[in-house]
């Protein structure tokens, strides 16, 4: 293991306390300042492929403006994908549905996903883990080691 792997990319660490000493036998509020300096990332000339899965909460608490904003956020993210990227979308409440199976970000695939997003409405209770797991499993089915892969949970918490 090289030093970057051992330090997680931290090249300098500085710790300062607000006071040098504390009162013995008494409680006191103390402050600690921690400074980290990160290593510079390797500059890349090419964008790595992206693989992203969205798990969208459609439970009852997501009704109204929350659902509108959640659909807009996923749609905006889809617009930024390139043709060599992959994506998937699952939705969940008390049941879980994959509305966009894992596939390449082709114009027709993205358009179908946007249409499916438009039909999603809030309902039911929440099976958060199942919805997230379904999105991750879709992404794993097309996993490429050189790609940046993320599963994004879209919920009101």
């Amino acid at each position: 293991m090289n030093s970057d792997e051992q330090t997680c990319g931290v090249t300098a660490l500085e710790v300062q306390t607000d006071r040098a000493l504390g009162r013995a036998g008494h409680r006191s509020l103390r402050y600690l300042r921690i400074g980290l300096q990160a290593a510079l990332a390797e500059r890349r000339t090419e964008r790595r492929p992206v693989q992203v899965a969205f798990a969208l909460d459609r439970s009852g608490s997501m009704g109204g403006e929350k659902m509108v904003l959640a659909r807009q956020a996923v749609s905006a993210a889809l617009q930024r994908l390139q043709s060599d990227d992959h994506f998937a979308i699952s939705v969940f409440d008390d049941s879980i549905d994959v509305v966009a199976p894992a596939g390449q970000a082709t114009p027709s695939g993205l358009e179908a996903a946007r249409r499916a997003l438009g039909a999603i409405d809030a309902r039911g209770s929440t099976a958060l883990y199942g919805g997230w797991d379904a999105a991750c499993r879709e992404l794993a089915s097309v996993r490429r080691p050189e790609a940046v892969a993320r599963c994004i949970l879209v919920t009101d918490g």
Side-chain angles (χ1 to χ4, degrees), residues 6 11 24-25 27 41 43 59 69 73 83-84 100 102 105 121 144 152 154:
Q6 292 171 350
T11 59
R27 294 183 62 155
R43 198 172 282 267
S59 64
L69 291 172
S83 61
D84 61 339
D121 231 346
R144 293 173 21 203
I152 299 172
V154 184

Side-chain angles (χ1 to χ4, degrees), residues 78-102:
L78 292 176
Q79 287 179 316
R80 287 165 176 74
L81 296 178
Q82 296 178 4
S83 61
D84 61 339
D85 297 334
H86 288 80
F87 73 98
I89 303 171
S90 72
V91 293
F92 64 93
D93 52 3
D94 49 346
S95 65
I96 299 152
D97 296 305
V98 174
V99 297

